[in-house]
Amino acid sequence: MEDDNLIELQDKIRLTKHYDLHRDFQPLYTGGQFKILKDEQHALSLRDGKICLFSIETSKVLASLSQENEDILTFAISPNQQLLAISNKNYLIRLYKVPESIENFSQLEELSTFKTINQMVLEMNFDPSSKFLAAGTADSHIKVFDVRKGFQTHNLTGHRGIITNLIFHPEIDSLRLISTAEDLTIKVWDLVMKTEIANLKFHQALITNIIFSTDMNTLAASSKDGSVSFWNVKDNYKLLSSIKVKSDENPDEIEELNAIYMFKSGSEPYILIGGQNGILKIYDIKAQKFCYSLHDNTLKSEITKIISSENSSKIYVLNADQNFNIYQITNKTKKSSSSNKPQLKSLVSKCLYLDEIIDLKLLGKKSDIEGDQSEPQYAVLCSNNETLKIINLQDGQVSQYGGHNDIILCLDVSRDLILSGSKDNQIRLWKINQENHELKCLATFSGHTENIASVCFAPKKSNFFVSASQDNTIKIWDIQEFKKTCDGEDIQEITSALLTVMGHQKYINVVKVSPNDKLIASSSQDKTIKIWGSYDLMLQQTLSGHKKGVWDIAFSPVDKLLVSASGDKTLKVWNLQNGTCISTFQGHQNSLVKISWINLGMQIVSTSVDGVVKIWNLKKQICVNTIQMHEEKIWALDSNEKFMVTGGGDSTVKIWKDCTVEKEQEEKEKELQKVQDEQRLSKLIREEDFQEAAVMAFRLNRLRDFYLVMNKVISGKSSKIDMVDSVLTDRKILNSLQSGQQNQQEKSQQIQGETLMTQILAKLLKEDKKRLLEIIRNLNSKSQYQGLAQHILYTILPRFRADDYLEEFKTNQNELKEILKITDFYSQKHLDRAERGLKKAFYPQYILSQMTLQDDLLVEQQKQSAKQQDKQNSEKKQNAAYQQKDTKQIQQLLNLKKKRKQRERGMSDNLFTEIDSKSKQSPGQNLAKRVKA
């Protein structure tokens, strides 16, 4: 019968697909400067190098001020709250004008900038008239600036070490400055004379705070040496008296002091002191004794600041854990005397920095079977300290409860009981007062020898709980007697468990009890999950399959199933009847740390160390949605039927609301509206109302329709616009204009189209500049649409004003740079393509012209060759004539030469004949004649 009811419930349940952030509580203060504004409803604080403005009542961050690439070191706000001075690591002091309205705080107007030479400013303060700003640097210098005229007036030297405190004399226009530094001295400066008028030496350790009394006649200083000194302002700052503050726990020890505040109750002077032990003490200056001390659990750590209120008797106290408490100074008459002694009444307690959230559980949550759709009101959580915190999920107010001596690691809740396990090897049982949600510790459970890793109530009857420790043991503890009565103020100490077993070979991460209280499951770093009987702690099953340690497990609220999350980035669903793995879910990119069932075991929620949450459908075995919920690890997760609360390493608690129904309804409405708009767009196109059609396509992000409409607006045709074609068309138009043959009707239509397009773009620019740039980018990235994109760019660029676009993208200017970068890249790409296309377009003409030129060249070559041949022939004839003539001349010459030789030879023959005839006469005479011849 019960199973049938569950099936009916499951059929009625709508599965979760979407979560929206409903409310979050961010860190408000991480240390450093802290200021309360005059209205006492808002405060300024330093948070991770940024200035945070938040509401004290609601803890809501109203504004955050940061400087790009500059971490803020400290800040100061003028007494009239019109000026804000900020120093950063770049050795700059920036001065801003603060707007009158808190809502406009983020819109600060920068007035001037002061530079310090290679030294960071760690301390600043304004004078009472808000005319001068004093700044103490890390090199022992004190610089004073005239903030109205914008220049440095003083450079005071004399200290050694970093300047730690700077205050002006509270009397307006007194122009006296008091400073302290690491040299353990207090110096008083006269800014009119520009000289040091007093050098006060008393303390033996760092001076932490200096203040004036309400009558401005006494200067008080506190120090790490546990003393408070009083100086007479009227008598050249002579030492009046001093007190030593000792530790309450050990009177022989000196308590280091950090903050003091002087006030009057009636006519008697008192001083409020806060120090290392986290105890607020009131000292009666006249009676010279302590008259009151406040041991507040929320101030267990070191008190760092005491801030007074100018308009009331409220005191604001901060400690090292960034706990922020507001007290009222009240007077109470003692029975033994008629005198009134001041006391502190706690008004508000807030935790401005939760630190890394380790575990979190909702209070007052109904069981999964009953169903709970109400918004959670309170949650209990543990962070990286030893206090248990109850956080109001409506306003962020945090109540803290001490008891553990080390960091709390795990929690569990059952109705009005809370379990907490700590590194002090101890478990504490707490009782919740349902009316005021205050906690009372009922008992402590000791027995483990290592850190408590996990605790879990028996969910059905809550008559026992199970604990697991890093000593690898699992223990069962009986708590039936604590359910019956919780009277008495004494805390019971339980040292023996009902059952103990050595569970795993390595550290146990988590232990859980099944919904029927019959089974106990434990997971460990040894990669296994073990199932135990709750009555005897006997091992029943060992589930193996994960490749790394198993960080979390959870029993199904309705089925005999167990889901596990591991460091191997997988979820596994196990059938507890046979110990088999029936499903493995993969999809996370990092190790899983937390899991939970929702919607009666039909879905699973898992978290990972990268802050990602995934929603899984068990039946379909798919991931329904992935949500980036935190910036760091999500260690804490709890939910009811409608809401989910997460906490993680980013020190933020976030409340998420199941918005599946709203999202689906919104999607249906969007789909219906989309269909209607598409129909209207088609109608406008048919009616040729191109202006309205272009605007509609623009709003619907219909690139194709926008392209077609704008194309018709420009050309009156539906053909594509290509850059090459448009260039060729422009060339034709130019040629036709030169020849006087441009058709006047076509020219008129083109002018009308250009005018209409200009009107459309002007309307789109006025409507959404960012969207138009995105449309241009998208069109320009597609080759078939780039012609229109370039045409639009050509039209809007003359109307482009950089300031307008910077204003449009003021939240993310990198997005504008990215859009313009992509547009420029594709424009250059299309230009290169167009140039290549133009070259290809002129190839045929070039080839034809080259062919005609070749023919002309061939004819010319033939003519030239003929002329050359004629020339050669004439030259040959001429050469032949010349050669014949030369031959005749040579022959004549040869003949002449021959004749001459013959004549010479004839003369010789005659001579020799004559000689021979005479030689007959006488041989001797003949020989003599011949020799003579």
Side-chain angles (χ1 to χ4, degrees):
M1 187 68 181
E2 185 176 350
D3 294 339
D4 294 338
N5 293 334
L6 287 174
I7 293 173
E8 291 180 3
L9 283 173
Q10 288 180 338
D11 292 337
K12 293 179 181 178
I13 290 176
R14 184 185 297 269
L15 297 183
T16 300
K17 292 183 180 179
H18 304 280
Y19 278 102
D20 269 351
L21 183 61
H22 181 63
R23 190 180 295 114
D24 65 339
F25 302 100
Q26 303 175 11
L28 301 176
Y29 176 61
T30 56
Q33 192 62 270
F34 190 94
K35 294 291 184 181
I36 304 293
L37 300 187
K38 277 186 176 181
D39 59 7
E40 298 187 8
Q41 297 178 4
H42 302 89
L44 286 175
S45 64
L46 269 181
R47 182 184 69 178
D48 297 327
K50 301 177 182 179
I51 295 178
C52 174
L53 172 67
F54 67 93
S55 168
I56 295 176
E57 181 181 357
T58 63
S59 299
K60 182 180 180 181
V61 178
L62 303 177
S64 180
L65 176 63
S66 63
Q67 296 179 342
E68 189 175 357
N69 301 325
E70 297 178 4
D71 286 337
I72 296 174
L73 296 174
T74 188
F75 67 90
I77 190 165
S78 62
N80 59 11
Q81 294 194 357
Q82 295 180 1
L83 299 173
L84 177 67
I86 297 173
S87 73
N88 54 51
K89 290 185 177 180
N90 292 344
Y91 317 122
L92 296 176
I93 300 175
R94 300 186 187 275
L95 189 67
Y96 296 92
K97 182 180 179 180
V98 180
E100 295 181 359
S101 175
I102 293 294
E103 288 77 11
N104 300 326
F105 181 82
S106 58
Q107 302 174 4
L108 296 176
E109 178 186 352
E110 185 173 344
L111 299 178
S112 57
T113 301
F114 304 110
K115 294 183 180 180
T116 58
I117 303 174
N118 297 330
Q119 288 298 330
M120 292 183 289
V121 174
L122 304 177
E123 186 69 24
M124 291 191 298
N125 210 343
F126 282 92
D127 79 313
S129 65
S130 302
K131 296 178 181 177
F132 296 96
L133 172 68
T137 64
D139 64 346
S140 312
H141 287 239
I142 301 172
K143 300 180 184 294
V144 183
F145 302 93
D146 188 323
V147 295
R148 295 186 179 179
K149 297 180 180 180
F151 61 88
Q152 180 178 325
T153 59
H154 299 74
N155 185 23
L156 308 176
T157 60
H159 278 295
R160 297 189 306 276
I162 297 174
I163 306 298
T164 56
N165 288 282
L166 285 173
I167 62 169
F168 282 89
H169 192 283
E171 185 179 355
I172 296 179
D173 296 331
S174 66
L175 294 181
R176 289 193 175 183
L177 177 66
I178 295 86
S179 63
T180 68
E182 291 180 332
D183 58 4
L184 314 182
T185 62
I186 304 172
K187 292 184 181 293
V188 183
W189 309 86
D190 189 329
L191 299 184
V192 177
M193 303 299 296
K194 298 186 178 181
T195 58
E196 174 190 324
I197 60 174
N199 185 19
L200 314 179
K201 297 182 179 179
F202 173 78
H203 294 284
Q204 305 301 316
L206 183 68
I207 300 171
T208 55
N209 198 9
I210 50 176
I211 59 168
F212 280 94
S213 61
T214 53
D215 59 6
M216 297 181 288
N217 294 329
T218 305
L219 175 69
S222 63
S223 171
K224 291 285 187 181
D225 62 7
S227 64
V228 179
S229 58
F230 300 93
W231 309 83
N232 190 340
V233 176
K234 297 297 183 182
D235 191 10
N236 201 22
Y237 293 91
K238 288 185 177 180
L239 181 64
L240 292 173
S241 61
S242 64
I243 58 174
K244 280 282 185 182
V245 182
K246 297 183 178 181
S247 173
D248 290 352
E249 298 177 357
N250 188 355
D252 295 332
E253 291 184 0
I254 299 297
E255 180 181 1
E256 295 181 0
L257 304 181
N258 293 320
I260 53 176
Y261 167 63
M262 294 182 70
F263 66 96
K264 281 189 176 182
S265 179
S267 59
E268 303 298 329
Y270 295 88
I271 185 168
L272 178 64
I273 301 172
Q276 183 182 14
N277 296 336
I279 300 173
L280 287 171
K281 300 177 181 180
I282 297 179
Y283 183 81
D284 188 337
I285 297 176
K286 185 176 181 180
Q288 296 186 354
K289 64 178 181 179
F290 288 97
C291 61
Y292 177 78
S293 62
L294 175 65
H295 297 261
D296 194 334
N297 285 329
T298 61
L299 296 175
K300 192 173 181 180
S301 62
E302 183 178 5
I303 294 173
T304 57
K305 292 183 184 295
I306 298 176
I307 304 171
S308 62
S309 170
E310 297 181 1
N311 306 322
S312 63
S313 57
K314 291 180 181 179
I315 299 297
Y316 304 90
V317 180
L318 286 163
N319 69 355
D321 288 335
Q322 281 75 51
N323 295 322
F324 176 63
N325 291 351
I326 304 176
Y327 297 95
Q328 183 83 38
I329 299 177
T330 60
N331 293 327
K332 185 176 180 180
T333 304
K334 290 187 176 181
K335 295 181 180 180
S336 57
S337 64
S338 59
S339 61
N340 294 335
K341 296 297 180 183
Q343 293 188 358
L344 297 178
K345 178 184 177 182
S346 179
L347 300 179
V348 176
S349 175
K350 288 181 177 290
C351 186
L352 303 183
Y353 180 67
L354 294 172
D355 210 336
E356 186 174 7
I357 298 169
I358 300 174
D359 203 357
L360 178 147
K361 299 291 181 183
L362 295 176
L363 297 179
K365 185 178 74 169
K366 297 179 182 179
S367 66
D368 294 325
I369 303 298
E370 295 175 0
D372 184 8
Q373 295 190 2
S374 61
E375 182 179 352
Q377 301 294 317
Y378 292 89
V380 57
L381 62 89
C382 58
S383 56
N384 203 19
N385 57 32
E386 63 276 4
T387 60
L388 193 66
K389 299 178 177 65
I390 302 294
I391 180 171
N392 187 327
L393 298 177
Q394 303 300 314
D395 58 12
Q397 185 166 330
V398 177
S399 303
Q400 302 185 67
Y401 300 90
H404 285 286
N405 297 319
D406 210 334
I407 296 173
I408 300 174
L409 297 176
C410 53
L411 298 170
D412 198 23
V413 174
S414 178
R415 300 175 180 87
D416 59 348
L417 296 177
I418 296 176
L419 283 173
S420 60
S422 169
K423 280 188 174 182
D424 60 7
N425 309 339
Q426 198 176 74
I427 303 167
R428 283 182 174 261
L429 179 66
W430 307 80
K431 179 79 172 181
I432 309 170
N433 187 326
Q434 298 292 348
E435 295 181 359
N436 54 19
H437 288 85
E438 292 183 354
L439 296 186
K440 176 186 176 183
C441 185
L442 302 180
T444 61
F445 299 85
S446 303
H448 287 289
T449 59
E450 293 290 342
N451 302 341
I452 308 299
S454 179
V455 291
C456 183
F457 280 108
K460 188 174 183 180
K461 295 182 179 180
S462 300
N463 53 359
F464 70 90
F465 74 87
V466 184
S467 64
S469 169
Q470 291 184 358
D471 60 9
N472 301 341
T473 63
I474 300 172
K475 293 179 181 288
I476 296 179
W477 308 82
D478 184 14
I479 56 171
Q480 293 190 49
E481 58 177 300
F482 300 106
K483 289 181 62 181
K484 296 177 182 178
T485 178
C486 59
D487 298 334
E489 296 294 330
D490 296 335
I491 300 175
Q492 298 189 36
E493 296 182 0
I494 310 299
T495 57
S496 61
L498 290 177
L499 296 169
T500 303
V501 68
M502 182 64 68
H504 291 264
Q505 297 177 357
K506 292 185 178 181
Y507 289 159
I508 301 174
N509 289 325
V510 69
V511 64
K512 293 291 179 68
V513 182
S514 63
N516 59 7
D517 295 351
K518 293 181 180 180
L519 298 176
I520 296 172
S522 61
S523 66
S524 167
Q525 288 298 108
D526 62 8
K527 310 174 189 177
T528 64
I529 303 164
K530 294 188 176 182
I531 309 299
W532 314 83
S534 62
Y535 299 107
D536 53 7
L537 268 184
M538 295 296 293
L539 181 62
Q540 296 186 1
Q541 294 180 23
T542 299
L543 310 179
S544 302
H546 282 294
K547 297 178 181 179
K548 290 187 178 181
V550 183
W551 284 102
D552 198 15
I553 53 177
F555 283 98
S556 170
V558 294
D559 297 320
K560 294 181 180 180
L561 300 175
L562 179 79
V563 63
S564 59
S566 169
D568 61 8
K569 308 175 187 178
T570 64
L571 282 83
K572 289 184 180 292
V573 180
W574 307 86
N575 187 339
L576 296 179
Q577 293 180 338
N578 53 22
T580 59
C581 176
I582 61 174
S583 299
T584 299
F585 296 93
Q586 297 179 341
H588 280 282
Q589 303 299 318
N590 289 281
S591 300
L592 280 75
V593 290
K594 210 73 177 177
I595 50 174
S596 177
W597 294 89
I598 59 173
N599 295 328
L600 291 180
M602 293 190 292
Q603 289 182 291
I604 303 169
V605 175
S606 61
T607 72
S608 61
V609 296
D610 55 4
V612 171
V613 173
K614 286 183 177 289
I615 306 170
W616 307 87
N617 187 311
L618 180 63
K619 185 177 180 180
K620 296 182 180 180
Q621 297 188 10
I622 59 172
C623 177
V624 177
N625 198 2
T626 301
I627 309 171
Q628 182 74 44
M629 289 191 173
H630 288 262
E631 297 177 359
E632 295 186 18
K633 304 177 183 71
I634 302 178
W635 291 115
L637 170 69
D638 200 3
S639 63
N640 60 17
E641 192 173 335
K642 191 69 176 176
F643 292 88
M644 179 168 62
V645 182
T646 58
D650 55 4
S651 308
T652 303
V653 175
K654 295 186 178 182
I655 305 172
W656 304 87
K657 184 178 180 181
D658 183 357
C659 60
T660 304
V661 177
E662 292 82 355
K663 287 283 186 182
E664 289 180 351
Q665 183 65 28
E666 184 179 347
E667 289 175 0
K668 288 181 180 178
E669 293 176 356
K670 284 183 178 179
E671 191 66 27
L672 178 61
Q673 185 64 36
K674 183 179 179 181
V675 172
Q676 294 175 353
D677 290 340
E678 288 177 351
Q679 292 176 352
R680 186 184 173 198
L681 176 60
S682 302
K683 182 181 178 181
L684 291 172
I685 294 175
R686 286 195 305 270
E687 295 175 354
E688 297 187 355
D689 188 352
F690 296 137
Q691 185 169 358
E692 290 298 325
V695 174
M696 182 64 68
F698 173 80
R699 292 172 181 169
L700 295 176
N701 194 24
R702 299 288 297 269
L703 287 180
R704 181 173 177 79
D705 291 332
F706 184 77
Y707 166 75
L708 293 175
V709 171
M710 295 300 290
N711 188 15
K712 289 183 178 180
V713 168
I714 296 171
S715 62
K717 300 178 182 179
S718 59
S719 59
K720 293 184 179 180
I721 299 176
D722 186 82
M723 184 175 287
V724 176
D725 296 337
S726 64
V727 172
L728 293 175
T729 302
D730 292 342
R731 292 175 62 88
K732 289 179 181 178
I733 293 173
L734 181 61
N735 294 332
S736 62
L737 283 173
Q738 291 175 351
S739 61
Q741 298 176 357
Q742 174 68 18
N743 191 313
Q744 295 297 328
Q745 185 177 0
E746 293 180 0
K747 183 178 178 181
S748 176
Q749 290 178 355
Q750 184 179 5
I751 293 173
Q752 290 177 1
E754 293 290 341
T755 305
L756 181 58
M757 188 187 72
T758 304
Q759 294 175 357
I760 293 172
L761 292 178
K763 189 173 182 180
L764 298 182
L765 281 172
K766 187 176 181 180
E767 182 171 321
D768 193 346
K769 298 180 181 65
K770 179 180 177 182
R771 183 78 193 117
L772 182 59
L773 281 181
E774 291 174 350
I775 288 282
I776 293 172
R777 177 197 63 191
N778 296 337
L779 287 171
N780 201 42
S781 63
K782 301 179 185 299
S783 59
Q784 64 268 35
Y785 300 147
Q786 52 82 24
L788 176 61
Q790 296 297 321
H791 206 131
I792 295 174
L793 275 176
Y794 179 78
T795 305
I796 68 171
L797 280 178
R799 300 167 179 81
F800 188 94
R801 293 182 62 226
D803 294 341
D804 295 341
Y805 286 87
L806 290 175
E807 180 68 21
E808 190 80 14
F809 289 86
K810 63 181 179 181
T811 56
N812 188 4
Q813 293 188 5
N814 291 329
E815 186 179 0
L816 174 61
K817 294 178 182 178
E818 191 67 22
I819 291 175
L820 296 178
K821 183 178 179 181
I822 294 173
T823 305
D824 177 65
F825 170 78
Y826 278 103
S827 297
Q828 186 63 42
K829 182 179 178 181
H830 298 319
L831 179 61
D832 296 340
R833 185 179 66 85
E835 290 178 349
R836 293 194 302 270
L838 282 173
K839 289 179 181 179
K840 291 180 180 180
F842 284 106
Y843 278 169
Q845 182 179 354
Y846 175 76
I847 292 171
L848 290 173
S849 63
Q850 290 297 316
M851 292 173 64
T852 305
L853 181 62
Q854 289 294 334
D855 293 340
D856 295 341
L857 287 174
L858 183 59
V859 172
E860 187 67 25
Q861 286 178 358
Q862 291 176 353
K863 290 181 179 180
Q864 291 293 335
S865 60
K867 289 180 180 180
Q868 188 72 19
Q869 188 67 31
D870 294 342
K871 186 177 180 180
Q872 290 178 357
N873 293 334
S874 62
E875 288 179 352
K876 284 181 180 179
K877 291 179 180 180
Q878 189 175 4
N879 291 335
Y882 289 152
Q883 186 175 5
Q884 187 176 5
K885 184 178 180 180
D886 292 341
T887 303
K888 289 180 178 180
Q889 292 177 355
I890 292 171
Q891 188 64 35
Q892 290 176 359
L893 291 173
L894 289 174
N895 293 332
L896 291 174
K897 187 176 180 181
K898 185 176 179 181
K899 289 178 180 181
R900 187 168 55 250
K901 286 182 177 181
Q902 288 177 356
R903 283 195 302 269
E904 290 177 353
R905 190 181 307 116
M907 291 176 62
S908 298
D909 291 342
N910 296 326
L911 178 61
F912 284 112
T913 303
E914 184 179 355
I915 291 174
D916 288 340
S917 63
K918 290 180 178 182
S919 60
K920 293 179 178 180
Q921 300 173 5
S922 174
Q925 292 177 353
N926 293 335
L927 178 62
K929 289 180 180 180
R930 293 182 65 178
V931 170
K932 187 178 179 180

